Amino acid sequence: MPISSHEPPAAAESSNTPEHHEQVQHRAQAEPMRRLLSLRESVLEHLRTAIITGEIAEGTIISAPTLGQSLGVSVTPVREAMVDLTREGLVETVKNKGFRVVAMTDTELNDLAQLRQLIEPPVMHLLVDSIPDAAFTELTQLADACTAAAETERLEDYLRADRQFHALLLSFTGNPQIVEMATALRLRTRMYGLIGLAREGRLAHSSREHHALLAHLRAGDADAAERLMHEHIGHARDLWATGVAGVAGAAGVAASVTTAGGSGA
């Protein structure tokens, strides 16, 4: 499937009409945080999403020239994207063949979820009274973008907005190491249930947890924000990973986090 770098559309002749301005405003409200991506970024986001959602299966050997041809791009942005994906732990190099999608066991995915549970929920206490009003506006726009992408089954846009939301939120801890570590763990998570959930409309419902989280933080309720973040991360290892609640070892992850001193979901 050919991809592009999200070039802006050409201006219509009736660009000064009230109807045009209304359409532009509606698009801005629906996707306020979307920006133009370079061809390399577009290829990277496309491949990352395909791997995370399982569209490209674990163990698949990817040839950069062949994939570039199927995407309608040169081999260069594909190889550049593969270097980034190798760094993120999603693919590994295979001599004389290309790249292979890294397989993840249930134990490894549980370990990733446990690390996220140990890092992200507790720092909600650091965020209360630390987020300026202007940042709440930007975070709300990203939350809106997540919901809009989920409602229209645009998983690539959903995952990007979700990643940006959590990175921006965690940045107000004042600790860039937390942001870097949490983002790296998020990128390695597999979410094979997202496609089905989006088609059924359930992903949009889950994505509204971003708005609820912001409401807790605005109200200064760190305990409620921590509990919701535990649940939110649990979805990544449970409902979003498989499309079915109560499987994939999520209960075991929550229990181990609680034993370690966390406040269970």
Side-chain angles (χ1 to χ4, degrees):
M1 174 182 179
I3 62 176
S4 67
S5 55
H6 299 291
E7 293 295 336
E13 293 181 359
S14 58
S15 60
N16 290 323
T17 65
E19 291 80 4
H20 173 77
H21 289 300
E22 184 177 352
Q23 291 172 354
V24 170
Q25 183 179 15
H26 176 73
R27 286 197 299 269
Q29 290 172 342
E31 298 181 273
M33 300 307 299
R34 216 172 164 192
R35 66 174 180 82
L36 298 181
L37 300 179
S38 68
L39 184 57
R40 172 180 177 171
E41 289 174 322
S42 295
V43 172
L44 176 60
E45 291 287 354
H46 180 80
L47 294 178
R48 183 190 286 135
T49 300
I51 293 172
I52 289 175
T53 62
E55 185 179 350
I56 299 179
E58 295 180 352
T60 298
I61 299 293
I62 300 174
S63 164
T66 301
L67 183 58
Q69 185 176 16
S70 68
L71 295 177
V73 300
S74 70
V75 69
T76 300
V78 176
R79 284 179 174 154
E80 291 174 341
M82 286 300 173
V83 171
D84 290 335
L85 293 174
T86 300
R87 189 180 303 115
E88 293 173 7
L90 291 177
V91 302
E92 58 189 3
T93 57
V94 180
K95 188 175 181 180
N96 300 324
K97 290 187 177 181
F99 302 85
R100 178 169 50 220
V101 177
V102 174
M104 297 288 287
T105 66
D106 282 344
T107 298
E108 289 171 328
L109 291 172
N110 285 340
D111 289 346
L112 291 178
Q114 183 179 18
L115 283 171
R116 289 189 60 198
Q117 294 279 25
L118 291 170
I119 295 170
E120 297 181 58
V123 302
M124 294 299 104
H125 291 266
L126 300 178
L127 297 178
V128 171
D129 299 326
S130 298
I131 304 175
D133 288 340
F136 270 115
T137 299
E138 187 174 358
L139 286 163
T140 299
Q141 290 175 336
L142 282 168
D144 291 342
C146 283
T147 301
E151 289 175 340
T152 52
E153 301 180 27
R154 291 179 288 108
L155 296 185
E156 189 174 313
D157 290 340
Y158 173 83
L159 289 174
R160 182 167 62 251
D162 178 71
R163 186 170 63 250
Q164 292 172 343
F165 173 90
H166 287 280
L168 178 59
L169 183 67
L170 292 175
S171 71
F172 292 102
T173 63
N175 188 334
Q177 298 299 323
I178 290 177
V179 180
E180 182 178 348
M181 185 176 297
T183 300
L185 292 171
R186 179 179 298 276
L187 288 173
R188 294 179 62 194
T189 300
R190 304 299 167 87
M191 301 183 183
Y192 297 155
L194 281 188
I195 295 176
L197 290 173
R199 289 172 180 167
E200 296 167 6
R202 290 193 288 164
L203 182 60
H205 177 75
S206 295
S207 74
R208 294 186 181 96
E209 290 176 355
H210 296 109
H211 295 88
L213 181 63
L214 292 179
H216 291 321
L217 291 172
R218 271 189 181 275
D221 194 341
D223 290 337
E226 180 179 4
R227 287 193 298 270
L228 182 56
M229 183 59 78
H230 269 297
E231 295 171 5
H232 191 68
I233 294 173
H235 291 326
R237 185 62 196 105
D238 185 15
L239 184 61
W240 295 353
T242 64
V244 180
V247 297
V253 172
S256 61
V257 171
T258 302
T259 301
S263 60

